[in-house]
């Protein structure tokens, strides 16, 4: 059922994603040269390894143009901020290596070892996803331990209703990529009856600047 839903979503998304992906690939090729895609080793369901695809966001080899291979280009920074560097992972979903919703795939060295507790290894019971509960809860603003807690909560409480909620929040974040980080409360020591959900930052009183100095 979930697999059929994934295929239906990427079929619909492909109408927009294919021309957008071709445009991004052309821009990367013209601005930096070299390969357009990067293949990153990741652990999939039950620990099976696969190559996760992303658009290349860093500069090419050092040369007269001054590109630095270790730093993101302007286009690359934009792709990272909007999440569009993950667009090629629709192919990973089509191949069955990933799902639309699930914990983000981790490098093999970060995957739970065989000696880990059954609950922690439960993260590998599902296909890794394009987006997940930890991603809508703050993306890069959460720590690794917070991300693990959010991923484990999702695995233990996954449902169609929760997947639809994550999908809706993902669309919202794509439309407002600079909406600000979400604060995630400290993880509890066991399965919670309610999710360790992202909590929006408190509103500032009218006319008083926030910590950044902007109103």
């Amino acid at each position: 059922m979930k697999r059929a839903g994934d295929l239906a979503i990427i079929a619909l998304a492909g109408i927009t994603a294919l021309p957008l992906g071709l445009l991004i690939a052309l821009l990367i090729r013209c601005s930096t040269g070299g390969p357009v895609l990067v293949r990153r080793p990741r652990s999939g369901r039950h620990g099976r390894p696969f190559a996760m695809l992303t658009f290349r966001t860093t500069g090419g080899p050092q040369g007269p143009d001054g590109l630095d291979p270790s730093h993101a280009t302007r286009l690359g920074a934009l792709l990272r901020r909007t999440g569009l560097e993950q667009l090629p992972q629709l192919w990973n979903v089509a191949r069955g290596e990933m799902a639309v919703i699930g914990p983000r795939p981790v490098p093999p060295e970060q995957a739970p070892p065989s000696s880990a507790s059954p609950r922690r290894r439960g993260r590998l019971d599902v296909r890794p996803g394009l987006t997940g509960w930890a991603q809508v809860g703050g993306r890069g603003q959460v720590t690794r331990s917070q991300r693990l807690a959010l991923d484990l909560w999702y695995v233990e409480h996954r449902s169609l209703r929760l997947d639809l909620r994550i999908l809706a929040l993902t669309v919202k974040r794509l439309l407002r990529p600079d909406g600000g980080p979400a604060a995630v409360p400290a993880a509890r020591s066991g399965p919670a009856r309610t999710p360790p959900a992202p909590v929006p930052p408190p509103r500032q009183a009218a006319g008083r600047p926030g910590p950044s100095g902007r109103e």
Side-chain angles (χ1 to χ4, degrees), residues 101-202:
I101 308 295
R104 285 295 293 165
V106 296
E109 62 271 17
Q110 294 182 17
S114 56
S115 58
S117 66
R119 179 172 182 261
R120 187 181 172 196
R121 284 192 60 82
R123 193 180 190 279
L124 300 178
D125 288 344
V126 299
R127 289 187 179 92
L130 285 172
T131 184
W133 189 240
Q135 281 60 54
V136 299
R139 295 188 65 184
Q141 286 79 30
V142 295
T143 65
R144 182 180 297 182
S145 60
Q146 288 173 327
R147 186 167 61 247
L148 176 61
L150 291 167
D151 285 342
L152 291 177
W153 188 92
Y154 169 79
V155 170
E156 294 167 352
H157 298 83
R158 62 188 184 275
S159 65
L160 176 60
R161 181 178 180 181
L162 180 58
D163 283 356
L164 292 175
R165 181 181 179 188
I166 293 172
L167 193 60
L169 289 171
T170 300
V171 172
K172 181 179 178 180
R173 283 188 172 272
L174 287 174
L175 295 176
R176 297 182 60 189
D178 297 319
V184 179
R188 298 181 180 179
S189 59
R193 295 177 65 88
T194 57
V199 177

Side-chain angles (χ1 to χ4, degrees), residues 27-118:
L27 291 174
I28 294 173
R29 186 72 176 181
C30 292
S31 61
T32 64
V36 169
L37 297 177
V38 176
R39 291 170 171 81
R40 305 183 187 278
R42 291 293 185 266
S43 290
R45 189 180 186 187
H46 304 314
R48 286 192 293 266
F50 72 98
M52 183 183 74
L53 301 177
T54 63
F55 280 125
R56 184 164 63 91
T57 58
T58 55
Q62 189 71 36
D65 54 6
L67 293 176
D68 188 335
S70 64
H71 289 81
T73 61
R74 287 186 178 182
L75 175 61
L78 175 63
L79 294 177
R80 290 180 183 181
R81 189 168 66 251
T82 58
L84 289 175
E85 89 280 8
Q86 299 172 14
L87 203 58
Q89 290 163 34
L90 289 173
W91 178 244
N92 292 118
V93 177
R95 286 170 55 89
E97 297 163 335
M98 292 178 62
V100 174
I101 308 295
R104 285 295 293 165
V106 296
E109 62 271 17
Q110 294 182 17
S114 56
S115 58
S117 66

